[in-house]
C-alpha cells in the first residue's frame, strides 16, 4: 500500500455504549480521505449522523470515535472511564516520543 497516507490515530469502539475499548494505532486513509483501514477493517465517515461517533465499520455497522491522539493522552470523550487505552506495538515508540513528548 505504498503511497497511501497513514497516521497514528485514537480509535474507540462505541458499539456497546459511550465508553468502549480503545487503542492507539496506525490507520491508512483512502485516496479520497473519506474512509480508512485499520486492523483489517474498513471505517467510513458517519457524516454527522452518529451519536458520540464519527465513523462506522463498513462490514458490521458498529460505531467508532476515531481522532488524532492528544499530546496529553486525554483522548476519551468521557475521561472518567477507567478502561485502559492500548497502544499498538508497531507505533509504541513513535507515539511516546513524537506525540506524547510534548504533553
Amino acid at each position: 500500500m505504498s503511497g497511501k497516507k497513514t497516521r497514528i490515530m485514537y480509535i474507540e469502539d462505541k458499539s456497546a455504549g459511550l465508553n468502549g475499548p480503545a487503542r492507539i494505532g496506525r490507520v491508512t486513509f483512502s485516496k479520497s480521505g473519506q474512509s480508512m483501514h485499520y486492523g483489517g477493517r474498513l471505517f467510513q465517515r458517519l457524516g454527522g449522523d452518529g451519536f458520540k461517533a464519527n465513523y462506522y465499520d463498513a462490514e458490521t455497522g458498529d460505531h467508532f470515535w476515531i481522532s488524532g491522539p492528544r499530546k496529553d493522552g486525554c483522548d476519551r470523550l468521557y475521561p472518567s472511564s477507567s478502561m485502559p487505552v492500548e497502544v499498538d506495538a508497531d507505533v509504541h515508540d513513535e507515539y511516546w516520543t513524537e506525540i506524547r513528548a510534548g504533553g
Side-chain angles (χ1 to χ4, degrees):
M1 283 197 246
S2 65
K4 293 201 177 184
K5 183 179 176 187
T6 67
R7 182 175 173 200
I8 294 175
M9 300 288 279
Y10 171 78
I11 305 151
E12 184 175 350
D13 185 343
K14 297 291 191 175
S15 62
L18 295 178
N19 288 309
R23 38 191 337 102
I24 302 288
R26 186 176 307 282
V27 303
T28 303
F29 291 94
S30 66
K31 188 182 282 189
S32 68
Q34 295 300 304
S35 63
M36 63 180 77
H37 287 86
Y38 172 76
R41 302 169 96 170
L42 172 65
F43 295 98
Q44 295 182 317
R45 288 187 187 270
L46 279 167
D49 293 332
F51 178 70
K52 304 296 181 184
N54 56 356
Y55 283 86
Y56 69 95
D57 181 312
E59 184 176 324
T60 66
D62 291 344
H63 286 194
F64 287 77
W65 177 259
I66 303 176
S67 65
R70 293 173 45 142
K71 288 183 182 216
D72 63 5
C74 297
D75 295 296
R76 288 193 176 274
L77 289 174
Y78 298 96
S80 60
S81 173
S82 62
M83 297 176 74
V85 175
E86 303 292 329
V87 179
D88 290 351
D90 65 324
V91 301
H92 183 272
D93 292 344
E94 184 179 353
Y95 172 70
W96 284 103
T97 58
E98 295 185 25
I99 295 169
R100 291 294 298 280

